[in-house]
Amino acid sequence: MNQVINAIGRNLPEYIDGYGKVRPFAGAFATAPDMPRQAPKVKQIFPGEQKLVADLETVFKRIPITDGMTLGFHHHLRNGDGVVNMVLAVAAKLGLKNLNIALSSVFPVHAPIVEHVKAGVVTGLDTNYMSGPVAQAVSRGLFPRPVILRTHGGRARAIECGQLKIDVAFIAAPTADDYGNLNGVNGPAACGSLGYAMPDAQYADHVVAVTDNLVPYPLSPVSIPQTRVDYVVKVDCIGDPKGIVSGTTKITRDPVGLKIAQTTAKVIRAAGLIKDGFSFQTGAGGASLAAAYYVRQMMEESGVTGSFALGGITGYMVEMLEKGLFRTIIDVQGFDLDAIRSLATNPNHLEVGADFYASPFNLGAAVNKLDAVVLGATEIDTGFNVNVVTGSDGVIMGGSGGHSDAAAGAKVTIVVANLLRGRLPIIMDSVLTATTPGETVDVLVTERGIAVNPHRPDLYEKFQAAGLPLKSAEELKALAEKIAGRPESITTRDKVVAVVEYRDGTVIDVVRQVD
Amino acid sequence: MNQVINAIGRNLPEYIDGYGKVRPFAGAFATAPDMPRQAPKVKQIFPGEQKLVADLETVFKRIPITDGMTLGFHHHLRNGDGVVNMVLAVAAKLGLKNLNIALSSVFPVHAPIVEHVKAGVVTGLDTNYMSGPVAQAVSRGLFPRPVILRTHGGRARAIECGQLKIDVAFIAAPTADDYGNLNGVNGPAACGSLGYAMPDAQYADHVVAVTDNLVPYPLSPVSIPQTRVDYVVKVDCIGDPKGIVSGTTKITRDPVGLKIAQTTAKVIRAAGLIKDGFSFQTGAGGASLAAAYYVRQMMEESGVTGSFALGGITGYMVEMLEKGLFRTIIDVQGFDLDAIRSLATNPNHLEVGADFYASPFNLGAAVNKLDAVVLGATEIDTGFNVNVVTGSDGVIMGGSGGHSDAAAGAKVTIVVANLLRGRLPIIMDSVLTATTPGETVDVLVTERGIAVNPHRPDLYEKFQAAGLPLKSAEELKALAEKIAGRPESITTRDKVVAVVEYRDGTVIDVVRQVD
């Protein structure tokens, strides 16, 4: 097999069976779009015509769904999602084969996919993040074709650019009316923003809303409009609230995590970003929230009003909005009940699609306007390339999600990590799976020091002036290895089980089978 | 020239110079879409790249705008609009020729277009409504090519279907941020909904926001998103508030108008529509508001909660929303300050695009869900075909706007008219210019009686049972002629000055030159 080396030095096959020709990653902003937008057939519905269909089986037959089609799903119901399994059970019952599943993220609840792959019902998967049994099975070579791993912005791009053509989008809708207006803020399975479903609704050939909360026409507010929805199916239950929203998200109590968070806030301040108009994205985990906690203290001390908080939204960000620390929240995904309540009631809490959030190929995603983003890593190398796809055993346990998107967009991208993960160093010469290219990562914050990407001497000077504990990535790596030794490299098979696409659609890396 | 006769018996040329081949109107629901959606080139903008441009001239050069292009504009600033004239002045200054103007409605303030046509800067016009000097000049043969008259839904359709390709959309934006998020609810030229600009923003090759109220990023709420806007230009003033919003809209005091309005309400009640879930569209004129007044009384008496009010929104409809008489307002265009305030603050006041409002070619416009619509007419014939384009002198003084769209969608379409207009009967054997086909009009209400379209015997029976004063259209026509005599027919020249497209893009009629 001929090989090609991409811009971060990854050896890739020129062609991958079941995927096609590899377009090698050429640099974070080196690949330009050169296509028209995806253009589904224009449709028509007559006054008086109904969209409400008795059950999913009827929808399958009416469209009709046939072997080999791509079915789209969103992940806003997270580990409480009931719709993917429900739809695939119908597909299996009807004897369909060779389906491709475009599900924005895969959770443990989606374990039944494994059986559908074994039965040949499903043969392809296209996702931005996966954890649990499906991810493990993918790593062990379950799928006949490589899974495509995208970023949240990359999925929106691929849909808009016609590279991920969704034949039928099934949209889990916490609330719907009978003409296909949908929102996520009401109903027993309320999840907040429906941002990741918006590109599917806009560009799929057929759109099916699946709801357990049918309300009289017209629904308000409307997140996905009637003009793009073919059918509405009422079911008993689309999801389990316990798996949909996290409980109260809490700031970490781990002293190492708190130290890293505090240093992160100092980095942001030293970079000169704590001023009016400050914009910020951080994750929903305890350590990310801790960083937000310290940033907030600085904002309050300086009397600063930020412009927007971005990303997966938690009650902590809502509180900052309500206290006037941010003027707006831009919400592609909400994580808790406060985020849902705020989206439903606060006009300064904006619901946006994945394209608005993070697509590289439109007239400007929100990530482009970020001052600072705080991101995690399972591995980072001395070239600042980050792995958030595979664990130390080579098994897939995540994915980029918005990682690469926010890193590419933000003025200052900060990766935070404990020097050791379990008993293994997280800094190495070369990450097992490159997810986010080093050229888009500016700073690494660990509990033992801060490394600045050499391409940002401006930041290095500022941090030095602020007296921050600067080290080179190589020094941090040596420190980690001194404690934990040099990790053994993973042995993988040749078979490519997943292709990691950068947000622009080029291939940044592949994941190979592990035993 | 070969002629063709369309489904309502209009004689049309098979081919019209400057327009092309005529697709004859075949029936309100007889022509189906058979094309993919318009697919502009996918675009890209890098983080840090700016959209703010110093002035319009720079935008013209940067795009660049060249001879023969189609420039799109919306009419939400109505007779206070300053943007169309501003942009065309730049075009003239730069020596551009042969431009096509796609402006959703033309008002007296747009009179400078006449000079631009004389100078060859502008040679084409595509609009849904026109009044004032431009309309008069069109009728007298000013334009070298026929003007295309569409409906509000038809314009959205033509844009989405690629039949009206807008090269550059100039969007007058009452508020904007520097990354192209736009809304109409804030700023000195606030106009409310930006519904008619939404298809332009979605499908134009280039989108330019013109604002006099630039606010920090990110704007909230967002009506048109940053992802579709190429440039933002700040100017001193985009429009004159006196021409943008009407003052307090008042119910007519004319006793004949009040009688017609009261009868209209009785028609709606007799049709069995005054019940929970009732949906309603009416105009902003004094007589239409009077109909709303009587309908409201009935709703209050019966304790009915309507589902939605649709169309151009006034304070009267807002009051009904706030009093709980309607659950929602669906707003493509607001007419007064109350409508703007409500849109900005009430989550049950939905802002929608022209496509959602009225396009025949998507998965369902709001007009499809209408129970009743009350519409006007300058002429109506015994086949219930309505003219809202030309006056009794043959001069253009209006256009369909949403007339044909709402008529096609509503369960019961009611045309209200005084039997005489000035001193001329409004009912005749054949209207001068057919705008809305009779098959979509159910009832004509005049001060001397009600005529029911023979294709609705169900309504006839209900009205008879309710004791309403029923007459045939022929009887009403005879009554009118008895008072005012038979009107002389208009003499027109052969030259086609405007092509009247039905909402599906077929030609329902043409307007010929008058002296």
Side-chain angles (χ1 to χ4, degrees):
Chain A
M1 181 71 71
N2 288 332
Q3 300 280 310
V4 59
I5 297 175
N6 74 11
I8 55 161
R10 297 275 146 170
N11 250 300
L12 307 169
E14 272 191 349
Y15 184 93
I16 301 172
D17 282 335
Y19 173 80
K21 194 168 159 15
V22 166
R23 289 204 308 162
F25 172 73
F29 302 101
T31 301
D34 59 353
M35 71 290 283
R37 262 181 242 162
Q38 168 69 1
K41 237 173 91 73
V42 170
K43 293 196 182 175
Q44 182 182 26
I45 178 172
F46 298 113
E49 217 175 314
Q50 302 298 313
K51 295 186 182 183
L52 210 53
V53 173
D55 51 38
L56 284 168
E57 206 169 315
T58 309
V59 165
F60 267 72
K61 289 172 179 164
R62 199 174 295 177
I63 287 175
I65 296 179
T66 54
D67 291 354
M69 276 191 172
T70 294
L71 311 186
F73 302 90
H74 70 72
H75 73 277
H76 287 291
L77 304 187
R78 288 175 284 267
N79 204 35
D81 175 43
V83 169
V84 169
N85 295 340
M86 200 185 297
V87 169
L88 293 182
V90 173
K93 184 185 165 200
L94 294 177
L96 288 165
K97 297 287 173 193
N98 198 23
L99 297 173
N100 188 39
I101 304 306
L103 165 58
S104 48
S105 296
V106 180
F107 288 88
V109 73
H110 298 121
I113 288 176
V114 172
E115 292 310 312
H116 291 306
V117 176
K118 288 180 182 163
V121 178
V122 171
T123 53
L125 177 63
D126 193 302
T127 190
N128 314 338
Y129 177 96
M130 55 176 149
S131 63
V134 175
Q136 287 153 20
V138 167
S139 289
R140 302 212 150 85
L142 173 73
F143 277 74
R145 293 183 271 152
V147 165
I148 302 181
L149 282 169
R150 302 187 194 266
T151 74
H152 284 330
R155 181 180 194 270
R157 167 204 54 78
I159 292 171
E160 181 160 328
C161 296
Q163 294 161 337
L164 170 54
K165 187 176 167 297
I166 296 176
D167 295 299
V168 187
F170 286 90
I171 299 183
T175 300
D177 65 35
D178 70 351
Y179 218 44
N181 293 300
L182 317 179
N183 79 40
V185 295
N186 301 125
C191 59
S193 174
L194 289 181
Y196 292 124
M198 291 180 183
D200 305 49
Q202 189 60 19
Y203 293 108
D205 279 349
H206 307 272
V207 178
V208 182
V210 184
T211 192
D212 54 11
N213 189 40
L214 197 64
V215 300
Y217 183 90
L219 172 64
S220 65
V222 172
S223 300
I224 288 176
Q226 64 188 42
T227 50
R228 297 296 182 221
V229 176
D230 296 79
Y231 300 106
V232 178
V233 182
K234 167 82 165 66
V235 299
D236 288 340
C237 175
I238 63 166
D240 176 3
K242 285 198 294 292
I244 297 171
V245 294
S246 24
T248 314
T249 1
K250 284 213 176 70
I251 289 165
T252 184
R253 289 179 172 232
D254 164 48
V256 175
L258 285 173
K259 185 179 177 189
I260 292 173
Q262 198 164 19
T263 310
T264 301
K266 287 178 185 166
V267 159
I268 292 170
R269 182 171 58 191
L273 299 175
I274 304 287
K275 58 186 181 196
D276 281 339
F278 174 60
S279 58
F280 187 47
Q281 173 173 339
T282 188
S288 296
L289 284 184
Y293 170 81
Y294 291 112
V295 165
R296 172 178 175 167
Q297 281 194 327
M298 289 174 184
M299 292 173 76
E300 285 173 337
E301 280 162 19
S302 314
V304 156
T305 304
S307 54
F308 67 96
L310 181 65
I313 300 302
T314 61
Y316 198 77
M317 289 295 161
V318 169
E319 197 182 309
M320 289 182 78
L321 174 71
E322 289 172 355
K323 298 241 184 233
L325 288 157
F326 285 110
R327 278 190 285 106
T328 49
I329 283 177
I330 299 182
D331 184 351
V332 69
Q333 176 177 207
F335 282 114
D336 57 25
L337 293 173
D338 283 333
I340 298 170
R341 172 188 54 77
S342 173
L343 179 62
T345 56
N346 192 329
N348 295 318
H349 189 141
L350 301 171
E351 183 178 18
V352 301
D355 56 326
F356 188 116
Y357 167 47
S359 171
F361 289 173
N362 60 30
L363 285 168
V367 292
N368 289 359
K369 290 291 229 180
L370 270 179
D371 284 335
V373 62
V374 178
L375 297 168
T378 60
E379 297 177 347
I380 183 165
D381 65 29
T382 48
F384 289 82
N385 299 301
V386 176
N387 174 14
V388 286
V389 167
T390 48
S392 53
D393 54 359
V395 175
I396 296 171
M397 40 65 72
S400 180
H403 196 285
S404 310
D405 300 310
K411 282 201 192 78
V412 178
T413 297
I414 303 162
V415 167
V416 295
N418 289 21
L419 213 52
L420 304 184
R421 184 179 170 90
R423 286 169 41 237
L424 296 172
I426 68 120
I427 315 184
M428 52 199 60
D429 292 325
S430 178
V431 291
L432 177 65
T433 312
T435 314
T436 296
E439 65 172 298
T440 64
V441 175
D442 301 306
V443 188
L444 166 64
V445 177
T446 74
E447 74 279 22
R448 297 291 291 270
I450 298 165
V452 178
N453 191 321
H455 77 176
R456 291 300 300 267
D458 58 319
L459 290 178
Y460 189 92
E461 274 175 34
K462 285 176 179 165
F463 297 167
Q464 204 169 32
L468 292 175
L470 291 165
K471 292 206 164 52
S472 70
E474 288 76 9
E475 285 172 315
L476 289 175
K477 169 174 170 273
L479 258 176
E481 288 179 359
K482 202 168 153 189
I483 303 165
R486 208 181 164 101
E488 283 172 42
S489 60
I490 310 287
T491 311
T492 59
R493 298 197 181 199
D494 280 346
K495 180 177 170 179
V496 172
V497 296
V499 176
V500 185
E501 280 198 1
Y502 190 60
R503 59 202 298 256
D504 61 8
T506 59
V507 177
I508 191 159
D509 213 342
V510 294
V511 180
R512 293 178 192 271
Q513 184 174 345
V514 289
D515 293 317
Chain B
M1 182 70 75
N2 288 332
Q3 301 279 312
V4 58
I5 297 175
N6 73 12
I8 55 162
R10 297 277 146 169
N11 249 302
L12 308 169
E14 273 193 348
Y15 183 93
I16 301 172
D17 283 335
Y19 173 80
K21 193 167 160 16
V22 166
R23 290 204 306 163
F25 172 74
F29 303 100
T31 300
D34 59 353
M35 71 291 283
R37 261 181 241 162
Q38 168 69 3
K41 238 173 91 72
V42 170
K43 293 196 184 175
Q44 182 183 27
I45 180 171
F46 299 113
E49 217 175 315
Q50 302 298 313
K51 295 187 182 182
L52 210 54
V53 172
D55 51 39
L56 285 169
E57 206 170 315
T58 308
V59 166
F60 268 70
K61 289 172 179 165
R62 200 174 293 177
I63 287 175
I65 297 179
T66 55
D67 291 354
M69 277 189 170
T70 294
L71 310 186
F73 302 90
H74 70 73
H75 73 278
H76 288 290
L77 303 186
R78 288 174 285 266
N79 204 35
D81 175 43
V83 169
V84 170
N85 295 341
M86 201 184 297
V87 168
L88 293 182
V90 173
K93 184 185 165 201
L94 294 176
L96 288 166
K97 298 286 173 194
N98 198 22
L99 298 173
N100 189 39
I101 305 305
L103 165 58
S104 47
S105 294
V106 179
F107 288 88
V109 73
H110 297 122
I113 289 176
V114 172
E115 293 309 312
H116 292 306
V117 176
K118 288 181 182 164
V121 178
V122 171
T123 53
L125 177 64
D126 193 302
T127 190
N128 313 337
Y129 177 95
M130 55 177 149
S131 62
V134 175
Q136 288 154 19
V138 168
S139 290
R140 304 217 147 84
L142 172 72
F143 277 75
R145 292 183 271 151
V147 165
I148 303 181
L149 282 169
R150 303 186 193 267
T151 73
H152 285 329
R155 182 179 193 271
R157 168 204 54 74
I159 292 171
E160 181 160 328
C161 295
Q163 293 161 339
L164 171 53
K165 186 176 168 297
I166 296 176
D167 295 299
V168 187
F170 286 91
I171 300 183
T175 300
D177 64 35
D178 69 351
Y179 218 44
N181 293 301
L182 317 179
N183 79 39
V185 295
N186 302 123
C191 60
S193 175
L194 289 181
Y196 292 124
M198 291 180 184
D200 305 50
Q202 189 61 20
Y203 293 108
D205 278 349
H206 306 272
V207 178
V208 182
V210 184
T211 192
D212 54 11
N213 189 40
L214 198 64
V215 300
Y217 183 88
L219 172 64
S220 65
V222 172
S223 301
I224 288 177
Q226 62 187 45
T227 50
R228 298 297 183 219
V229 176
D230 295 78
Y231 301 106
V232 179
V233 183
K234 166 82 165 65
V235 298
D236 287 340
C237 174
I238 62 167
D240 176 4
K242 285 197 295 292
I244 298 171
V245 295
S246 24
T248 314
T249 1
K250 285 212 177 70
I251 290 165
T252 185
R253 291 181 170 228
D254 165 48
V256 175
L258 285 173
K259 185 180 178 190
I260 292 174
Q262 197 164 19
T263 309
T264 301
K266 287 178 186 166
V267 159
I268 291 171
R269 183 171 58 191
L273 299 175
I274 304 288
K275 59 186 179 194
D276 281 341
F278 174 59
S279 58
F280 187 47
Q281 174 174 338
T282 187
S288 295
L289 284 184
Y293 170 81
Y294 290 112
V295 165
R296 172 178 175 167
Q297 281 194 326
M298 290 174 184
M299 291 174 76
E300 285 174 336
E301 280 161 18
S302 315
V304 156
T305 303
S307 55
F308 68 96
L310 180 64
I313 299 301
T314 60
Y316 198 78
M317 288 297 161
V318 169
E319 198 182 310
M320 289 181 78
L321 174 71
E322 290 171 354
K323 299 240 185 234
L325 289 156
F326 286 109
R327 279 190 285 105
T328 50
I329 283 178
I330 299 182
D331 183 352
V332 69
Q333 176 177 208
F335 282 114
D336 56 26
L337 293 173
D338 284 331
I340 298 171
R341 172 189 53 76
S342 173
L343 179 62
T345 56
N346 193 330
N348 295 318
H349 189 141
L350 301 171
E351 182 178 17
V352 301
D355 55 327
F356 188 116
Y357 167 47
S359 172
F361 288 174
N362 60 30
L363 285 168
V367 292
N368 289 359
K369 291 291 228 179
L370 272 176
D371 284 334
V373 62
V374 178
L375 298 168
T378 59
E379 298 176 348
I380 183 166
D381 64 29
T382 48
F384 289 81
N385 301 301
V386 176
N387 174 13
V388 287
V389 167
T390 47
S392 53
D393 53 0
V395 175
I396 296 170
M397 39 66 73
S400 180
H403 195 286
S404 309
D405 300 309
K411 283 202 192 79
V412 178
T413 297
I414 303 161
V415 168
V416 295
N418 290 20
L419 212 54
L420 304 184
R421 184 180 169 88
R423 286 170 41 236
L424 295 171
I426 68 118
I427 315 183
M428 53 199 60
D429 292 325
S430 177
V431 290
L432 178 65
T433 311
T435 315
T436 296
E439 65 171 300
T440 64
V441 175
D442 302 306
V443 188
L444 167 64
V445 177
T446 74
E447 74 278 22
R448 297 291 292 270
I450 298 165
V452 177
N453 191 321
H455 76 175
R456 292 299 301 267
D458 57 321
L459 289 179
Y460 191 91
E461 274 175 33
K462 285 176 178 164
F463 298 166
Q464 203 167 33
L468 292 174
L470 291 164
K471 294 208 160 54
S472 72
E474 289 74 9
E475 284 171 316
L476 288 174
K477 170 174 169 276
L479 258 177
E481 288 178 358
K482 200 168 153 192
I483 303 165
R486 207 182 166 102
E488 283 172 42
S489 61
I490 310 287
T491 310
T492 60
R493 298 196 182 198
D494 279 347
K495 180 178 171 179
V496 171
V497 297
V499 176
V500 185
E501 280 197 1
Y502 189 60
R503 58 201 298 256
D504 61 7
T506 59
V507 176
I508 190 159
D509 212 343
V510 295
V511 181
R512 295 179 191 270
Q513 185 174 344
V514 290
D515 292 315

